[in-house]
Amino acid sequence: MRIFKFIAIALIVIGLSGCSSKFKTYNGPEVTHVVVNKGARKMYLLHHEKVLESYKVELGFAPVGHKTQRGDGKTPEGTYVIDRRNPNSDFHLSIGISYPNQADRMQARARGKSPGGDIFIHGQPNKKTGTGPDWTAGCISVKNREIEWVYAMVRNGTPITINP
């Protein structure tokens, strides 16, 4: 009888572990603004003035200063919006930031350069390539279990302010 009880419990545990997913459901207060403070390496999800969550972040490999061109390794600074989602990201999950805006494009064009693009908040690489402090090409990175909640909580159209 004891062996049957053990087998039943083992099957339940195995069955429940298969139910876990990287797609979380969030039913709390709306995230009305995302704020990233690059110098402090922190990201805050806000409902108006109230901090709902905060995360330690990793940035572009050249973290000081505003992104001005493709390949400079900088994370942009300024106010943008969350504009897209990638459930099949090479970095677990990712949400897109609307960089470059019109001013970014004009400034880069005046220098004869491309402003770059494809800036995201994302998790860790699916393939063990670069990690460590400030390893991205200009994106904002959090742990995989954290991007799962960020992905669930932050909607497209949410403003994001990235401070120096």
Side-chain angles (χ1 to χ4, degrees):
M1 186 67 159
R2 227 171 167 194
I3 190 77
F4 291 116
K5 189 174 184 181
F6 174 78
I7 291 172
I9 290 172
L11 289 174
I12 289 171
V13 168
I14 290 169
L16 289 175
S17 69
C19 294
S20 67
S21 169
K22 68 181 181 178
F23 300 105
K24 308 292 184 208
T25 301
Y26 174 70
N27 295 313
E30 174 188 10
V31 174
T32 58
H33 201 152
V34 177
V35 175
V36 175
N37 292 330
K38 288 171 53 174
R41 305 299 191 276
K42 294 289 282 192
M43 178 172 68
Y44 303 93
L45 306 186
L46 304 174
H47 175 71
H48 302 294
E49 299 300 317
K50 181 182 179 199
V51 174
L52 299 173
E53 296 290 338
S54 67
Y55 304 99
K56 183 178 180 298
V57 298
E58 296 166 338
L59 303 169
F61 61 83
V64 177
H66 175 59
K67 183 168 194 62
T68 60
Q69 66 188 47
R70 179 180 307 278
D72 66 6
K74 296 182 184 294
T75 300
E77 296 172 357
T79 298
Y80 300 92
V81 296
I82 301 302
D83 65 352
R84 61 202 182 279
R85 313 175 90 60
N86 185 356
N88 300 310
S89 174
D90 288 337
F91 301 90
H92 195 58
L93 290 170
S94 60
I95 57 175
I97 297 171
S98 64
Y99 175 87
N101 61 27
Q102 184 176 354
D104 297 320
R105 286 190 292 275
M106 287 174 52
Q107 289 172 359
R109 191 176 313 127
R111 292 186 321 281
K113 302 289 183 179
S114 166
D118 286 336
I119 302 297
F120 288 85
I121 300 170
H122 60 65
Q124 300 299 302
N126 293 338
K127 297 175 182 156
K128 294 291 181 193
T129 53
T131 60
D134 300 329
W135 58 272
T136 78
C139 295
I140 298 162
S141 179
V142 295
K143 295 177 180 167
N144 287 349
R145 69 179 181 277
E146 295 169 340
I147 191 61
E148 291 172 0
W149 286 109
V150 172
Y151 193 91
M153 294 173 74
V154 177
R155 299 282 160 241
N156 288 1
T158 303
I160 177 169
T161 300
I162 306 169
N163 298 310

